[in-house]
Amino acid sequence: MKKIIPLLLALIIVATVAALCACTPKAYQIQETLKKEGYTAQSFDYESAGVEQDKTSYVFSAVKGTTGGNGSYVYVIAFKSERDAERYEARNKNSAVRQNLTRKGKLIVYGDAASVAILMD
């Protein structure tokens, strides 16, 4: 009995970690979704996004059409912890710069409404 309890605990920990890792989509999956919709992914500056690089798993932006205001755009930030994502959302939810900001777990997405809807549906 004493040997079974540590084994069960280890199994529960592994299952929990696997479940948490599966919750946030990987960058390439999101980029593929956007690519199918005609977007081109590109990197953007952490400072302009208002995030610390060590708190994120990945960040990128994607553009469809022209960037001069006539195109569609979306910014994607995946945080390492859900708590950091929640803090970012609370600080930027009503920002005029970060329009249509939406959080899903550790993932923050903002941009024009149609582009955000592609990733959050």
Side-chain angles (χ1 to χ4, degrees), residues 44-53 55-56 59-60 75-95 97-111:
F44 72 100
D45 185 25
Y46 285 91
E47 197 172 310
S48 68
V51 296
E52 296 174 35
Q53 186 171 359
K55 292 188 178 195
T56 62
V59 298
F60 68 89
Y75 296 91
V76 178
I77 306 169
F79 285 90
K80 291 180 181 175
S81 78
E82 193 165 342
R83 185 176 174 119
D84 287 334
E86 289 169 350
R87 287 181 187 154
Y88 187 85
E89 178 187 33
R91 283 193 318 261
N92 294 287
K93 187 68 174 171
N94 297 318
S95 170
V97 176
R98 295 176 181 88
Q99 297 177 341
N100 303 306
L101 188 137
T102 307
R103 182 180 66 83
K104 190 178 204 178
K106 298 177 188 178
L107 190 67
I108 296 281
V109 177
Y110 63 90

Side-chain angles (χ1 to χ4, degrees), residues 13-77:
I13 290 171
V14 169
T16 302
V17 169
L20 290 174
C21 291
C23 292
T24 302
K26 305 291 183 226
Y28 72 88
Q29 293 168 324
I30 295 172
Q31 289 175 353
E32 282 300 312
T33 300
L34 291 169
K35 188 176 180 180
K36 289 177 186 174
E37 297 289 332
Y39 288 78
T40 303
Q42 54 195 21
S43 63
F44 72 100
D45 185 25
Y46 285 91
E47 197 172 310
S48 68
V51 296
E52 296 174 35
Q53 186 171 359
D54 64 334
K55 292 188 178 195
T56 62
S57 298
Y58 57 86
V59 298
F60 68 89
S61 63
V63 179
K64 179 180 180 180
T66 62
T67 58
N70 297 327
S72 300
Y73 63 96
V74 65
Y75 296 91
V76 178
I77 306 169

